[in-house]
């Protein structure tokens, strides 16, 4: 069962600061409470240009409507950096295939030669793969969206810091240089018309995000659900002109569990229908380590520690946590390009999920 969608708060980012330029305590308190009590909120007034979100979703639709052989020109199995197009049913969440296809992208970087890696997570640095010959507007619109989301992520990160009783710039050093955000342009696909939805079907299975903050653009279809602490599955209903914001594992680590990376999922689409979204995962540099911040005593008393299990340890250095997530979600890519990271029957932080 789902509880009413008004359990998911709505905040306006354009009201985050006072005319004097500082953060409004009303906003930072509401932000902190939403991310502590629910782990999710819906954000409006975040600065998108008129029509920007719709144009991005339209470009994504143009790509997903291409014939399969043309989509596979971007096959992510060719990318050692986990970039490009993932075929329907070939991303794994909670140990099962998701009913989605997508393009993964991130900061456009030259690959680091394997001989020069200081850490295995350097394999995540590399070029993106775009359908420039087929849908040239997708790259342009996705890159413009990533620029906007980076600004939103920076502002929210600073607001979170103030809400936790810290200096506004407390987290800035973790993002200095080359923050390793990543994006997903996603289409969920239901069974053919007339076919039943299998009982075990999932758009995306229950999981928590491994970054710092997630900023999600969803269309009006619905199907996203969150499970706040102590609650049942809750609909995160679409709200026109909004982003869905949720806590990632890195922010949970940094607050010793005061802010929680709430589990969430996407229900399978009905037969003959699809759903589109664009996820943006705001994250620090790969080498950034998220140590617990000094919380005020009243907040520290409500920090239960991180919610990890023997099947999903939360790793404090972001690159380690990100690499763990990519290897688990895309085992075909990992096995093809990085077999040394794939467990051979023994427990591993990268594959035991």
């Amino acid at each position: 069962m789902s509880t009413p969608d008004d359990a998911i708060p709505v905040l306006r980012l354009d009201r985050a600061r006072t005319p004097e330029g500082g953060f409004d305590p009303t906003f930072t308190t509401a932000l902190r409470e939403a991310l502590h009590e629910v782990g999710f909120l819906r954000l409006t007034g975040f600065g998108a240009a008129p029509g920007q979100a719709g144009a991005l979703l339209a470009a994504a639709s143009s790509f997903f409507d291409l014939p399969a052989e043309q989509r596979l020109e971007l096959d992510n199995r060719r990318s050692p950096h986990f970039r490009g197009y993932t075929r329907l049913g070939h991303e794994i969440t909670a140990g099962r295939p998701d009913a989605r296809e997508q393009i993964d992208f991130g900061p456009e970087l030259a690959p680091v030669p394997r001989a020069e890696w200081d850490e295995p997570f350097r394999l995540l640095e590399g070029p993106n793969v775009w359908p420039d010959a087929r849908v040239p507007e997708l790259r342009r619109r996705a890159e413009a969206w990533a620029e906007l989301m980076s600004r939103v992520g920076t502002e929210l990160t600073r607001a979170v810091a103030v809400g936790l009783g810290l200096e506004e710039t407390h987290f800035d050093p973790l993002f200095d240089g080359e923050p390793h955000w990543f994006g997903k342009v996603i289409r969920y696909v239901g069974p053919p018309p007339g076919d039943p939805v299998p009982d075990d079907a999932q758009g995306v299975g229950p999981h928590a995000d491994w970054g710092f903050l997630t900023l999600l653009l969803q269309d009006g279809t619905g199907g996203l659900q969150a499970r706040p602490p102590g609650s049942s599955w809750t609909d995160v209903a679409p709200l026109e002109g909004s982003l869905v914001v949720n806590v990632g594992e890195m922010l949970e680590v940094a607050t010793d569990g005061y802010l929680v990376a709430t589990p969430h999922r996407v229900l399978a689409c009905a037969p003959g229908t699809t759903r589109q979204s664009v996820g943006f995962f705001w994250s620090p540099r790969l080498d950034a380590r998220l140590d617990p911040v000094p919380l005020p005593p009243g907040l520290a008393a409500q920090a239960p520690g991180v919610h990890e299990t023997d099947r999903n340890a939360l790793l404090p250095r972001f690159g380690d946590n990100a690499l763990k997530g990519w290897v688990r979600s895309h085992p075909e890519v990992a096995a093809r390009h990085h077999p040394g990271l794939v467990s051979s029957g023994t427990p591993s932080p990268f594959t035991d999920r």
Side-chain angles (χ1 to χ4, degrees):
M1 294 180 60
S2 299
T3 56
D5 72 85
D6 59 9
I8 308 299
V10 180
L11 297 179
R12 290 191 64 97
L13 188 60
D14 55 4
R15 297 178 183 172
R17 293 186 182 266
T18 67
E20 292 73 30
F23 279 107
D24 186 330
T26 301
F27 180 87
T28 56
T29 298
L31 177 66
R32 185 191 71 232
E33 290 177 349
L35 297 183
H36 170 63
E37 296 172 4
V38 184
F40 269 72
L41 61 90
R42 289 168 292 181
L43 188 74
T44 62
F46 58 88
Q52 184 176 5
L56 173 59
L57 292 175
S61 181
S62 294
F63 170 75
F64 290 123
D65 287 344
L66 293 173
E69 63 271 16
Q70 294 180 8
R71 282 175 278 153
L72 282 170
E73 292 170 356
L74 279 64
D75 194 339
N76 73 330
R77 291 174 296 176
R78 300 193 187 106
S79 169
H81 317 293
F82 297 90
R83 307 287 179 92
Y85 171 68
T86 301
R87 297 156 295 152
L88 181 66
H90 282 261
E91 177 157 359
I92 306 299
T93 306
R96 291 167 44 213
D98 299 325
R100 59 170 163 165
E101 54 183 337
Q102 66 195 35
I103 296 176
D104 289 300
F105 65 102
E108 188 75 38
L109 298 170
V112 179
R114 188 178 296 263
E116 298 178 16
W117 291 354
D118 56 343
E119 296 290 347
F121 56 64
R122 294 299 175 196
L123 67 88
L124 298 176
E125 298 176 322
N128 293 311
V129 185
W130 294 108
D132 290 338
R134 308 283 185 185
V135 189
E137 67 271 22
L138 181 56
R139 179 206 287 255
R140 174 171 52 85
R141 290 173 178 168
E143 289 179 342
W145 190 256
E147 290 180 7
L148 172 63
M149 293 299 99
S150 293
R151 295 195 295 272
V152 173
T154 298
E155 185 74 344
L156 281 177
T157 297
R158 291 173 176 170
V160 166
V162 172
L164 295 173
L166 306 168
E167 293 294 326
E168 176 181 322
T169 57
H170 180 88
F171 293 113
D172 282 11
L174 302 173
F175 294 85
D176 285 346
E178 191 64 64
H180 197 80
W181 55 265
F182 62 96
K184 289 179 179 287
V185 179
I186 309 167
R187 181 170 75 171
Y188 300 88
V189 182
D195 286 5
V197 177
D199 291 339
D200 62 350
Q202 59 184 33
V204 176
H207 68 286
D209 298 332
W210 65 73
F212 193 85
L213 284 169
T214 299
L215 311 173
L216 177 75
L217 173 67
Q218 58 173 340
D219 68 10
T221 304
L224 174 63
Q225 294 186 326
R227 190 173 61 202
S231 298
S232 58
W233 286 107
T234 300
D235 290 327
V236 186
L239 175 65
E240 187 174 356
S242 75
L243 297 172
V244 176
V245 178
N246 62 274
V247 174
E249 291 176 341
M250 291 292 92
L251 186 50
E252 179 172 332
V253 168
T255 60
D256 199 31
Y258 175 76
L259 301 181
V260 60
T262 298
H264 50 285
R265 67 185 182 185
V266 176
L267 301 179
C269 288
T273 68
T274 62
R275 173 184 186 269
Q276 288 194 168
S277 66
V278 181
F280 183 85
F281 304 86
W282 178 238
S283 303
R285 292 190 321 277
L286 287 169
D287 63 357
R289 182 181 177 90
L290 279 292
D291 293 315
V293 302
L295 294 174
L299 303 186
Q302 303 175 64
V306 298
H307 297 80
E308 61 182 351
T309 69
D310 58 355
R311 296 182 66 82
N312 187 37
L314 302 192
L315 308 176
R317 191 169 56 171
F318 173 62
D320 298 329
N321 212 52
L323 184 57
K324 173 194 71 175
W326 284 113
V327 170
R328 290 176 172 179
S329 298
H330 295 275
E332 289 179 286
V333 177
R336 175 178 291 196
H337 297 283
H338 312 290
L341 297 178
V342 180
S343 173
S344 57
T346 59
S348 163
F350 296 118
T351 58
D352 185 27
R353 186 176 187 179

